[in-house]
Amino acid sequence: NESLMKKVMISFILFFILVVSSCYVAASKPVHVIITAGQSNTDGRTSNKDLPDYIKALAKDTVEYSEGAYPYCRIAQNDPDGKFIPFWPRAARSERNNLWAYDAVTYYWLEQLLKDKFYVIKWAVGGTSIAPNYDSAKGRYWSANPEWLSQTESTSKGGRSLLLSFIQEIDICIDQTLSKLEEGYQIDAFLWHQGESDQRKGKDYYDNLKAVVTYVRTHLSQKTGKDYSKLPFIFGTVARSNKSYSSEVEAGMRRLAEEDSNAYLIDMSDAELLNDRLHFNKKSAEHLGREMYKRLAEIMF
């Protein structure tokens, strides 16, 4: 009868609205973005031949494991032009690129969780300190000291500042890609491993690292118009067997984690290293990557 037909039509319309609304909510969920920075253990010094088997399964080259692609992760790595490409573990070293770091494991497990596209913006250079140290062989620093920054440029423009290179990469990635995503984007966390090269400036490490984190958070807030003052900062300690280990650097890291409720420190005190006594072996790199993923999963969900 007519009354029944009306009820059926109303039910159908309500169901249609519900489906459309659900699709809209799903489609409008911001895309996840991770930013990553640091020195050699973040760039990667472990051979791709020692990648975990679950990552090797994604490789196109099954001899050196130097080529492959993650299904969902897109990365801009040490790229002043901010071009995103499918992620594959690849150090930013011109002489050898089939090396991996802990973050390869982090992104792999994040893919398993999200099953959807996400972006990574990364800048990592080995042998680099936060504190400007003018006898450094690299001559490139992460310092956020305003006076020092005002007297230099980004390393990508021939200057000495790694922090400015990282920030400029973030900005161009936002301008060219992230700001144009229909669903929007959300920067979820800042991953970091660094500290070996600050061995001689250990007493200053707390202040120097805090300044870097504050600088990045403040810049992101100004750039995006969103409040990133509490952006989660996930980082790891230096192995105590590392030949460049400094108890003062570790103390600075622990103090920052104690004072900043949005800083998450992963204890790598007993980490195993390669024969160079500087860089994580496969066991330690995988462990740090998994631990960073766990913190990320807790934060994001």
Side-chain angles (χ1 to χ4, degrees):
N1 59 36
E2 188 175 340
S3 177
L4 180 61
M5 287 296 293
K6 283 183 179 180
K7 288 180 180 179
V8 171
M9 284 298 294
I10 291 171
S11 297
F12 177 77
I13 292 169
L14 290 174
F15 176 75
F16 180 77
I17 291 171
L18 180 63
V19 170
V20 170
S21 298
S22 298
C23 291
Y24 176 79
V25 169
S28 62
K29 190 174 182 179
V31 171
H32 295 286
V33 179
I34 307 297
I35 61 174
T36 304
Q39 58 180 118
S40 54
N41 273 314
T42 296
D43 186 30
R45 294 295 182 268
T46 307
S47 170
N48 279 18
K49 290 181 179 180
D50 289 328
L51 278 165
D53 288 341
Y54 50 83
I55 296 179
K56 283 182 175 179
L58 301 173
K60 297 175 183 175
D61 159 23
T62 55
V63 178
E64 297 291 332
Y65 299 96
S66 58
E67 297 298 332
Y70 282 29
Y72 300 111
C73 181
R74 301 291 181 269
I75 189 169
Q77 179 174 341
N78 288 44
D79 184 356
D81 296 323
K83 295 177 181 176
F84 286 105
I85 60 173
F87 176 79
W88 185 250
R90 185 175 287 113
R93 306 183 89 190
S94 57
E95 70 273 19
R96 187 178 176 193
N97 68 3
N98 56 333
L99 299 169
W100 66 282
Y102 61 85
D103 60 327
V105 173
T106 305
Y107 309 147
Y108 175 86
W109 289 111
L110 192 56
E111 284 208 340
Q112 307 313 301
L113 178 66
L114 297 177
K115 295 294 183 184
D116 202 0
K117 177 178 61 180
F118 67 96
Y119 292 90
V120 174
I121 304 170
K122 177 175 178 177
W123 201 282
V125 178
T128 53
S129 67
I130 298 180
N133 184 355
Y134 296 103
D135 61 356
S136 165
K138 295 279 185 178
R140 293 171 281 179
Y141 311 95
W142 292 99
S143 176
N145 180 280
E147 184 179 355
W148 184 79
L149 283 175
S150 69
Q151 297 171 5
T152 189
E153 287 189 286
S154 65
T155 56
S156 56
K157 293 183 178 178
R160 294 183 171 187
S161 175
L162 292 161
L163 183 58
L164 291 181
S165 292
F166 184 40
I167 289 298
Q168 288 170 9
E169 182 184 41
I170 290 171
D171 286 356
I172 196 166
C173 285
I174 289 173
D175 292 343
Q176 291 187 166
T177 303
L178 302 180
S179 64
K180 297 176 182 178
L181 296 173
E182 289 185 13
E183 58 270 65
Y185 67 95
Q186 171 70 30
I187 302 173
D188 294 287
F190 178 7
L191 311 185
W192 172 270
H193 191 280
Q194 188 274 344
E196 297 93 331
S197 293
D198 283 85
Q199 183 184 36
R200 288 177 294 168
K201 299 290 183 74
K203 290 181 179 179
D204 300 327
Y205 195 76
Y206 164 78
D207 290 327
N208 289 339
L209 181 59
K210 182 178 180 180
V212 169
V213 176
T214 300
Y215 186 97
V216 172
R217 287 171 170 167
T218 300
H219 180 83
L220 290 176
S221 297
Q222 294 172 344
K223 174 68 177 176
T224 66
K226 301 177 184 177
D227 182 8
Y228 281 109
S229 61
K230 296 181 180 179
L231 177 72
F233 178 64
I234 309 174
F235 62 130
T237 64
V238 174
R240 290 180 180 172
S241 61
N242 192 303
K243 64 185 180 183
S244 294
Y245 170 77
S246 164
S247 60
E248 292 175 329
V249 167
E250 182 176 323
M253 292 178 176
R254 294 190 182 279
R255 180 182 171 188
L256 181 62
E258 288 170 5
E259 295 181 2
D260 185 340
S261 60
N262 296 291
Y264 303 83
L265 183 61
I266 297 164
D267 188 355
M268 296 297 290
S269 299
D270 299 326
E272 297 178 8
L273 303 175
L274 298 174
N275 291 335
D276 60 12
R277 293 177 53 221
L278 270 175
H279 302 112
F280 294 136
N281 67 5
K282 60 182 180 180
K283 178 181 176 181
S284 299
E286 183 176 13
H287 174 71
L288 180 55
R290 279 182 177 269
E291 290 301 307
M292 286 201 167
Y293 161 72
K294 290 177 185 177
R295 303 304 188 283
L296 263 177
E298 291 169 0
I299 290 163
M300 293 166 67
F301 300 97

